[in-house]
Amino acid sequence: MKELVVISGKGGTGKTSTVASFAALAPRPVLADCDVDAADLHLILSPTIRDRADFVGGNRATIDPERCMGCGACQEYCRFDAIHWTPEGGYRVDPIACEGCGVCVRFCPGEAIDFGAAVNGEWFVSDTRHGPMVHARLGIAEENSGKLVTLVRKKARETAEQLGLNLIVADGSPGVGCPVMASLTGADAVLLVTEPTPSGFHDLDRVVELLRRFRLPAMVCVNKADLNLELTEQIEKYAIERGLQVAGRIPYSPAVTEAQTAGLSVVEYGDNDAAESLRTIWDRVAQLLQLTPNF
């Protein structure tokens, strides 16, 4: 089984649009949306949910007023300013500020604090027109997105094994944080999507530095490449110098936005320059899946 992860150093580079096109081009893939903080692959693929479950990523403290002695030890030891005194109800835990560390539970002399499981979001297994898809939704201001990414990838692999499919295409998280590392761990190949802007180049450099730790075969493609050909050439030169392959360039095209409005990937929308470029890039990425690490 092979797993391709598509990532970017920053949001808004066209990563999800690229994955949606790969979904249409790849041979019977299992799709995984690992961008759980701001999942949007479902907007193009219109999944039909067939299985869903809560995501429990940690614990959260609650104070039982019947058992609370009012000593204030919990507030004293809390380093997240999550426990406050209220004249009406005594000490209370702010569920948004609580990090689930358990220190208050450890030092409460009256054992008045419960430490139950915290539901941080939901995960789904769905059907799309291009095959099965595993995706998730993290709750507002919730933590543990890295754990949820790991769960999404695990369920995608289980789905592939159950259906006898041998390819997973994952829409990874942007940036360089914990969700990105959770997206990359154990993958077979990576495609980096960037754009010819100073911020795009800067964030590409950051994610390449992270990627070196994983020793994965990787390619770079430049989206909206014709908007700044000089910077596009600099990015491609940089990629080659760092040992990455250049997958190709995607030109700016109004067809991309038009396809999204129609709920389609750009390669499904019709003949256009962007679709043709994505087909070429997919062919090169498919070859990459057979390569050994190039770092």
Side-chain angles (χ1 to χ4, degrees), residues 88-110:
E88 311 82 39
Y91 286 102
R92 290 289 184 267
V93 177
D94 180 348
I96 295 179
C98 178
E99 290 287 331
C101 69
V103 168
C104 59
V105 180
R106 169 68 178 79
F107 289 100
C108 178

Side-chain angles (χ1 to χ4, degrees), residues 22 58 62 68 71 84 88 90 101 105 108 112 139 160 164 170 179 192 222 234 260 274 289:
F22 286 177
T62 56
C68 179
C71 66
H84 305 280
E88 311 82 39
C101 69
V105 180
C108 178
L192 306 175
V222 184
Q234 293 178 27
Q260 291 175 340
L289 290 169

Side-chain angles (χ1 to χ4, degrees), residues 198-265:
S199 62
F201 198 172
H202 172 269
D203 292 333
L204 172 67
D205 181 59
R206 295 174 67 225
V207 79
V208 167
E209 283 301 314
L210 173 66
L211 188 59
R212 289 179 65 85
R213 274 66 175 176
F214 289 86
R215 299 184 59 82
L216 295 171
M219 278 185 164
V220 173
C221 76
V222 184
N223 191 25
K224 295 174 279 191
D226 49 339
L227 296 184
N228 190 331
L229 289 175
E230 181 180 354
L231 192 51
T232 293
E233 292 172 358
Q234 293 178 27
I235 290 172
E236 291 174 343
K237 180 181 178 182
Y238 161 87
I240 293 171
E241 290 174 348
R242 300 304 296 268
L244 287 81
Q245 301 179 54
V246 176
R249 303 176 179 181
I250 305 171
Y252 173 80
S253 174
V256 176
T257 303
E258 293 169 3
Q260 291 175 340
T261 302
L264 299 171
S265 66

Side-chain angles (χ1 to χ4, degrees), residues 64-237:
D64 183 349
E66 298 297 325
R67 290 180 284 157
C68 179
M69 301 165 54
C71 66
C74 54
Q75 186 181 45
E76 177 184 353
Y77 284 105
C78 180
R79 292 295 175 264
F80 301 100
D81 196 29
I83 299 177
H84 305 280
W85 169 265
T86 61
E88 311 82 39
Y91 286 102
R92 290 289 184 267
V93 177
D94 180 348
I96 295 179
C98 178
E99 290 287 331
C101 69
V103 168
C104 59
V105 180
R106 169 68 178 79
F107 289 100
C108 178
E111 298 183 353
I113 303 178
D114 297 316
F115 200 48
V119 176
N120 303 115
E122 290 182 284
W123 59 270
F124 315 92
V125 179
S126 301
D127 295 315
T128 76
R129 59 187 179 276
H130 300 306
M133 172 176 166
V134 182
H135 50 123
R137 179 171 55 210
L138 195 67
I140 297 172
E142 294 289 355
E143 300 290 339
N144 296 313
S145 56
K147 288 184 178 180
L148 184 51
V149 169
T150 299
L151 178 61
V152 167
R153 293 183 62 210
K154 176 184 176 183
K155 295 300 179 182
R157 183 165 289 272
E158 290 176 356
T159 300
E161 291 172 349
Q162 291 169 2
L163 299 177
L165 303 178
N166 58 11
L167 176 63
I168 298 172
V169 179
D171 183 3
S173 301
V176 294
C178 181
V180 181
M181 290 183 272
S183 299
L184 292 173
T185 302
D188 295 290
V190 180
L191 176 67
L192 306 175
V193 181
T194 189
E195 60 185 10
T197 64
S199 62
F201 198 172
H202 172 269
D203 292 333
L204 172 67
D205 181 59
R206 295 174 67 225
V207 79
V208 167
E209 283 301 314
L210 173 66
L211 188 59
R212 289 179 65 85
R213 274 66 175 176
F214 289 86
R215 299 184 59 82
L216 295 171
M219 278 185 164
V220 173
C221 76
V222 184
N223 191 25
K224 295 174 279 191
D226 49 339
L227 296 184
N228 190 331
L229 289 175
E230 181 180 354
L231 192 51
T232 293
E233 292 172 358
Q234 293 178 27
I235 290 172
E236 291 174 343
K237 180 181 178 182

Side-chain angles (χ1 to χ4, degrees), residues 17-87:
S17 299
T18 300
V19 171
S21 291
F22 286 177
L25 296 170
R28 301 188 66 206
V30 174
L31 306 169
D33 191 347
C34 297
D35 189 2
V36 297
D37 291 281
D40 53 7
L41 186 58
H42 63 281
L43 298 176
I44 302 177
L45 299 184
S46 303
T48 300
I49 297 173
R50 56 181 170 86
D51 191 13
R52 67 195 302 162
D54 288 335
F55 165 63
V56 177
N59 297 81
R60 186 167 290 126
T62 56
I63 299 174
D64 183 349
E66 298 297 325
R67 290 180 284 157
C68 179
M69 301 165 54
C71 66
C74 54
Q75 186 181 45
E76 177 184 353
Y77 284 105
C78 180
R79 292 295 175 264
F80 301 100
D81 196 29
I83 299 177
H84 305 280
W85 169 265
T86 61

